[in-house]
Amino acid sequence: MQAVTESDRRKEVRLLLDRIQAHPERDWSAARRRIATLNKLIGPSGRKPH
């Protein structure tokens, strides 16, 4: 079993955001909850400034 890295979490967030943007007509409630969870796991020190 491989450990999940911060990079893996960032990739998943990017993938989910891309899917939401490509199909905004869909219900993305579960994906948005997952994004929120991933962002908490990444933490403020891991976020890139805008």
Side-chain angles (χ1 to χ4, degrees):
M1 189 165 142
Q2 270 185 324
V4 177
T5 66
E6 187 175 314
S7 176
D8 294 332
R9 292 178 178 135
R10 288 182 187 283
K11 287 176 188 174
E12 185 178 353
V13 168
R14 184 75 255 152
L15 176 72
L16 291 169
L17 290 173
D18 288 346
R19 288 181 180 173
I20 290 169
Q21 187 174 20
H23 298 282
E25 71 281 1
R26 295 183 184 171
D27 178 16
W28 291 105
S29 301
R32 291 181 192 281
R33 285 191 301 274
R34 178 68 179 156
I35 290 168
T37 300
L38 290 167
N39 282 332
K40 286 179 185 177
L41 292 171
I42 293 169
S45 62
R47 292 194 187 127
K48 294 180 182 175
H50 289 68

